[in-house]
Amino acid sequence: MTRILVVDDEPQIVRALRINLKARGYEVDTAPDGATALRAAAEHHPDLVVLDLGLPDMEGAEVIAGLRGWTSVPVIVLSGRADSTDKVTALDAGADDYVTKPFGVDELLARIRAVTRRSQPEEAEAPVVRLGDREVNLAEHTITGDVRLTPTEWQLLEHLLRHPGKLITQRDLLHDVWGPQYRTETNYLRQYMARLRRKLEADPARPRHLLTEPGMGYRFRP
């Protein structure tokens, strides 16, 4: 059974999440602040953490840093803040995804399922990924239809496809595809994402699978 630690100081949100998660077969622990969350994580070893950024005793990014000191447990951030800077800080600290308050329970559950799938060993992932009406074979670097990608386009696409549903920050993509010296060159990403959409999306102006999270990064939606 998947064990989830919910960290939030709003009792009504904690209660709603506990009810909905337990109804779907998850085991749920809760914590009202960062210090309690870190103790609970050390004691119960959850499979996933749902973490509010605005806690009474410390910032959510500090909780993530505390967790990342000893565990790679997936973390989904809940943010009621409009400023994307806080979300970027949390993602850079090691969060795996974020959901903006107010949020729909169905959306959060979908993010939980996606993050839980990604936490399984990569070897178990199928090398063939469906993108719209095309099939992308990650092992053989082939795409159905008359589609040709450059090596850099392949690298960028593969990074997104191997993390379905996950928001990947601009900084991480630039670092992993182009190298650490390119971490601020966001124009590279815009140009290459536009090229991938022209080649792979049915309507590049309204992409359904290669999505932009403004000011944050990119996400592959299966």
Side-chain angles (χ1 to χ4, degrees), residues 10-165:
E10 297 183 50
Q12 64 273 27
I13 289 181
V14 172
R15 181 175 181 274
L17 289 180
R18 184 192 289 117
I19 291 171
N20 281 279
L21 290 170
K22 284 190 172 182
R24 288 160 177 83
Y26 294 104
E27 190 172 352
V28 181
D29 299 308
T30 64
D33 54 54
T36 306
L38 291 172
R39 287 195 299 270
E43 181 179 349
H44 300 299
H45 296 281
D47 300 298
L48 183 139
V49 177
V50 177
L51 172 69
D52 181 25
L53 279 186
L55 297 172
D57 60 339
M58 64 178 75
E59 287 294 313
E62 295 179 79
V63 178
I64 297 169
L67 291 169
R68 289 293 172 258
W70 62 275
T71 178
S72 59
V73 61
V75 177
I76 297 179
V77 162
L78 301 180
S79 174
R81 302 171 181 175
D83 189 355
S84 65
T85 303
D86 295 306
K87 299 171 188 173
V88 171
T89 299
L91 291 165
D92 284 344
D96 294 86
D97 206 345
Y98 79 92
V99 177
T100 301
K101 293 180 178 181
F103 59 88
V105 172
D106 287 341
E107 178 191 3
L108 178 60
L109 289 168
R111 299 286 179 87
I112 287 173
R113 290 192 297 270
V115 168
T116 303
R117 285 195 301 270
R118 291 197 303 273
S119 67
Q120 303 304 314
E122 189 168 293
E123 289 73 19
E125 296 178 6
V128 177
V129 179
R130 190 146 195 93
L131 198 161
D133 59 355
R134 302 184 186 280
E135 286 189 351
V136 183
N137 189 311
L138 298 177
E140 299 180 4
H141 279 198
T142 59
I143 303 176
T144 55
D146 188 19
V147 178
R148 296 182 182 275
L149 301 184
T150 68
T152 302
E153 289 170 346
W154 261 115
Q155 231 180 321
L156 178 57
L157 179 64
E158 183 169 351
H159 206 76
L160 291 166
L161 297 190
R162 286 195 179 278
H163 301 86

